[in-house]
Amino acid sequence: MTFLLDEIALATARLAEAGVPSPRTDAEEIAAFVHGVRRSALHTVKDADFDALFWEGVARREAREPLQHITGHAYFRYLELAVGPGVFVPRPETEVVAGWAIERLREMDVAEPLVVDLGTGSGAIALSIAQEVALAQVHAVEVDPDAYGWAKRNIAEHGQGRVHLHPEDLADALPELNGKVDLVISNPPYIPPGAVPRDPEVRDYDPSRALYGSGADGLNEVRAVERTARRLLRRGGLVAVEHADEQGQSVYRLFPEDKGWRDARLRQDLTRRDRFVTAKFGQE
């Protein structure tokens, strides 16, 4: 047992007592970040090379600052993204939404699928689609200047020249693409005003603009996504929009047949909670 591994064990106990959901993993991630090694190589760090900055990181995590803010990166599907204050930290449940979109795009008989990600945040969804769907052209929309800066950084690193960032509001974005888009996807703000997220990492650190939707039910931004998707999509194009688990039926009803939607479905995440709604616009 090395000195660093002993310190990680102590840090794990501290983080567990603070209520951190994954204390061992987080302690190891902080140690790996501080010492510049992979988690699998922590045992190779010599006692003389121990860096006391490890405990600074542990103290920040103990105060429930997001691990991703401490290390400066977040993992999303096959990507390692730069994140920090001012941008929403992408969550595992959103990976399921992106995965659905990627599978549908691969099934399309389209040489270069055209995709729009409304409210891209860090760029996680847009970049995953570009990485995993050959020749896809992705337009990422983000109006918040702080989030836009993070997306710009990540797109420069991972975009492969196929992700195009636009500083526009999702409600009226990209009129030049009206009727041309194969798939619209969005993880918009949807928490109702007055609701308080349970996790301090979300409540105290994620930007409120990315969390809280407007309107009494918090779904005005989802309504805007529906209108924009209806405008952008070609006939037979698809939409996917994320929501809170208790909002499934309400979001499902926002995609009725009398507005041109077909095959609207309420879909679940890996925990079998309602997580996103998908629909097809018109008939091909």
Side-chain angles (χ1 to χ4, degrees), residues 21 35 52 94 134 143 156 178 181 183 186 191 199 222 224 240 261 270 283:
H35 294 91
T94 305
V143 72
N178 286 353
V181 176
L183 184 141
S186 182
I191 297 176
D199 296 335
V222 177
W261 297 107
L270 295 177
Q283 301 295 327

Side-chain angles (χ1 to χ4, degrees), residues 30-262:
I30 294 168
F33 168 70
V34 168
H35 294 91
V37 299
R38 294 181 178 275
R39 282 175 60 196
S40 59
L42 287 168
H43 65 283
T44 67
V45 176
K46 298 177 181 179
D47 292 354
D49 293 332
F50 174 77
D51 191 331
L53 285 176
F54 168 69
W55 283 108
E56 179 182 315
V58 170
R60 291 169 64 186
R61 189 68 187 103
E62 188 177 19
R64 301 303 292 271
E65 184 176 348
L67 173 68
Q68 296 86 352
H69 285 197
I70 297 168
T71 64
H73 63 254
Y75 297 106
F76 188 86
R77 292 182 68 85
Y78 303 105
L79 293 166
E80 183 177 329
L81 302 170
V83 296
V87 71
F88 182 79
V89 174
R91 302 298 198 274
E93 52 266 30
T94 305
E95 295 187 34
V96 178
V97 187
W100 180 89
I102 288 164
E103 290 174 4
R104 300 294 81 76
L105 288 164
R106 288 172 174 170
E107 293 169 354
M108 287 182 181
D109 187 19
V110 178
E112 297 184 3
L114 186 59
V115 180
V116 171
D117 176 18
L118 296 172
T120 196
S122 65
I125 294 175
L127 289 165
S128 290
I129 290 173
Q131 183 185 64
E132 298 180 52
V133 181
L135 303 181
Q137 294 292 326
V138 186
H139 292 266
V141 173
E142 181 55 63
V143 72
D144 182 80
D146 291 333
Y148 182 92
W150 287 105
K152 184 177 181 180
R153 176 178 172 180
N154 285 318
I155 289 169
E157 177 72 19
H158 303 287
Q160 308 173 69
R162 293 191 287 109
V163 181
H164 315 283
L165 185 60
H166 305 267
E168 301 179 28
D169 189 276
L170 59 81
D172 53 16
L174 305 174
E176 66 274 17
L177 297 182
N178 286 353
K180 301 177 182 178
V181 176
D182 296 298
L183 184 141
V184 171
I185 189 167
S186 182
N187 179 17
Y190 49 69
I191 297 176
V196 180
R198 179 179 64 254
D199 296 335
E201 290 86 349
V202 177
R203 182 184 65 239
D204 299 335
Y205 291 95
D206 274 329
S208 59
R209 187 167 187 170
L211 297 176
Y212 298 99
S214 58
D217 58 2
L219 294 178
N220 279 359
E221 283 70 23
V222 177
R223 294 182 178 93
V225 168
E226 184 274 329
R227 292 191 297 271
T228 299
R230 188 157 26 102
R231 170 171 58 81
L232 291 174
L233 288 172
R234 62 167 173 82
R235 298 191 68 80
L238 301 173
V239 65
V241 58
E242 186 172 332
H243 54 73
D245 51 12
E246 69 274 10
Q247 294 173 323
Q249 290 299 326
S250 297
V251 174
Y252 172 83
R253 288 193 289 270
L254 296 179
F255 294 85
E257 289 193 2
D258 61 11
K259 289 186 177 180
W261 297 107
R262 302 289 183 268

